[in-house]
Amino acid sequence: MTRIYTDDDADPKALTGTVAILGYGSQGRAHARNLRDSGHDVIVGARRGGKAWARAEQDGFEVVETREAAKRARFTALLTPDMTHREVYAQIEPEMDAGDTLMVAHGFSIHYGQIKPRADLDVVLVAPKGPGDLVRREFEIGRGVPSLFAVQQDHSGKARDKALAYCRANGGTAGGAIETSFAEETETDLFGEQAVLCGGASELVTAGYETLVEAGYQPEIAYFECMHELKLIVDLMYEGGLARMHDFISETAKYGDLVSGPRVINAETRQRMREVLSDIQDGSFARDWVLENQAGKPKYDAMLRADLNQNIEKTGARLRERMAWLQPGANAGQSAE
């Protein structure tokens, strides 16, 4: 059985010196504030005059140029988007001393060789399994979001201890931390996004909607059945797995689940999933994505425009205008309990 690490397994003293947070987006902002509240000396590295610089200053952090942050820190968390890692690492590597630690929250750039950290650095991964806002909220109420951690290079002999200490400072061991590898974290994360969470789910929803509309049903009714109500089912599964979903849906829905689900997700579907996984494992997907970025993302932009121009999006936008609870500020003033 996989071991789950808790606060008792992490030594806060293993994370010493200044921690630099590079990238002040959703995760970066949450990590910076959590580590500061855990008693660590945190500085933020950003582009002078940018939005990240201003926001970090508003949050009370000392903000310096990216190179300066890496120079002053003993532990540098690289939390900028994956495709920026090569450029950012090229800036900070000359400023890092032997024995310093480079941390990422997703292993893409290192696993696929976009950056090749110096051999005299510790290289670790700490990946909370939730968005930054949730990571911060759970920390503030004394809980935490489960996290993954891994070690790629252990020059100092203490890389694992430092990764666990960072997990603890960010609330990860309160939520429960699981040890993994850069390969496992990267490949499973990409597969989940592509085959299930984003690619798989969006294509399934769209195909269901189009099947009903092509059969003559009203687009609005198809939207409710295939897109809108998906949240109800996902929430149940998130809260308690398949068992909770089955507890709250009708007997008719359960029977339909059991007899028709395997007709949609069948042996052919699973083979397609294996092909997606193979492209991830052999580096094909990473190579194509890197090349697409280097070319200015023309195919990506065209596919995204087409995706957002589908009929289901137009139908949904019109219906969501009537859903007051989805409008900005709709939940203002409500209790956060």
Side-chain angles (χ1 to χ4, degrees):
M1 181 177 294
T2 300
R3 179 177 177 180
I4 298 178
Y5 293 83
T6 67
D7 285 350
D8 292 338
D9 298 308
D11 179 8
K13 296 179 182 178
L15 187 59
T16 59
T18 299
V19 176
I21 301 294
L22 309 184
Y24 204 69
S26 174
Q27 286 291 339
R29 186 171 186 237
H31 291 215
R33 293 191 289 171
N34 290 353
L35 264 70
R36 178 175 62 186
D37 290 351
S38 294
H40 294 282
D41 177 30
V42 178
I43 59 175
V44 173
R47 179 175 57 83
R48 186 177 297 276
K51 292 181 180 179
W53 186 294
R55 192 171 197 188
E57 280 193 330
Q58 290 173 359
D59 288 339
F61 287 102
E62 180 184 1
V63 189
V64 297
E65 297 279 0
T66 300
R67 291 175 65 108
E68 178 64 18
K71 182 176 182 179
R72 289 174 49 182
R74 300 282 69 80
F75 190 108
T76 297
L78 179 53
L79 301 177
T80 61
D82 292 331
M83 291 300 109
T84 68
H85 281 196
R86 175 185 285 184
E87 178 184 354
V88 175
Y89 180 71
Q91 295 176 33
I92 67 175
E93 185 189 70
E95 309 300 337
M96 300 181 74
D97 296 329
D100 282 358
T101 304
L102 176 70
M103 188 211 91
V104 293
H106 178 41
F108 185 102
S109 60
I110 292 175
H111 179 55
Y112 292 117
Q114 288 302 293
I115 61 175
K116 297 180 180 180
R118 284 197 337 246
D120 62 358
L121 298 176
D122 287 346
V123 182
V124 303
L125 175 148
V126 176
K129 301 310 292 178
D133 287 348
L134 181 64
V135 171
R136 178 58 179 170
R137 289 200 308 271
E138 286 296 293
F139 179 90
E140 288 182 304
I141 59 179
R143 301 187 305 205
V145 171
S147 293
L148 305 181
F149 72 98
V151 175
Q152 182 80 355
Q153 289 183 185
D154 186 12
H155 174 78
S156 71
K158 300 178 181 178
R160 188 172 180 277
D161 292 339
K162 288 187 275 189
L164 264 174
Y166 188 102
C167 264
R168 190 182 196 280
N170 199 36
T173 48
I178 295 176
E179 189 166 13
T180 183
S181 66
F182 272 62
E184 184 176 54
E185 185 278 333
T186 303
E187 292 169 6
T188 57
D189 185 79
L190 292 175
F191 176 81
E193 292 169 350
Q194 294 175 32
V196 182
L197 306 176
C198 303
S202 63
E203 286 297 315
L204 184 64
V205 165
T206 302
Y209 170 88
E210 291 175 349
T211 299
L212 289 177
V213 173
E214 288 169 1
Y217 297 102
Q218 297 179 70
E220 293 79 9
I221 304 301
Y223 178 87
F224 281 131
E225 294 304 326
C226 296
M227 173 77 86
H228 179 79
E229 293 190 19
L230 181 65
K231 182 182 186 305
L232 308 178
I233 301 303
V234 170
D235 283 352
L236 292 172
M237 295 171 70
Y238 178 80
E239 293 164 4
L242 297 178
R244 184 166 176 82
M245 180 195 73
H246 285 306
D247 282 344
F248 281 83
I249 63 176
S250 70
E251 289 290 309
T252 303
K254 277 189 276 192
Y255 180 69
D257 172 343
L258 298 172
V259 300
S260 296
R263 297 173 65 191
V264 177
I265 307 300
N266 54 26
E268 182 180 356
T269 313
R270 288 182 169 83
Q271 178 56 31
R272 296 291 179 265
M273 287 185 169
R274 294 186 190 101
E275 292 169 5
V276 169
L277 181 57
S278 179
D279 287 345
I280 292 167
Q281 291 172 326
D282 68 18
S284 299
F285 169 78
R287 182 195 64 236
D288 292 347
W289 178 223
V290 169
L291 290 174
E292 179 68 12
N293 274 267
Q294 292 174 348
K297 300 189 288 189
K299 294 180 181 178
Y300 166 86
D301 290 339
M303 289 188 293
L304 184 59
R305 284 194 301 271
D307 198 45
L308 298 179
N309 198 40
Q310 296 182 86
N311 186 262
I312 190 173
E313 280 293 277
K314 298 171 184 176
T315 301
R318 186 170 68 254
L319 290 174
R320 289 191 297 270
E321 289 178 353
R322 309 297 303 171
M323 302 176 193
W325 63 92
L326 297 180
Q327 305 311 313
N331 297 317
Q334 292 185 5
S335 171
E337 295 179 351

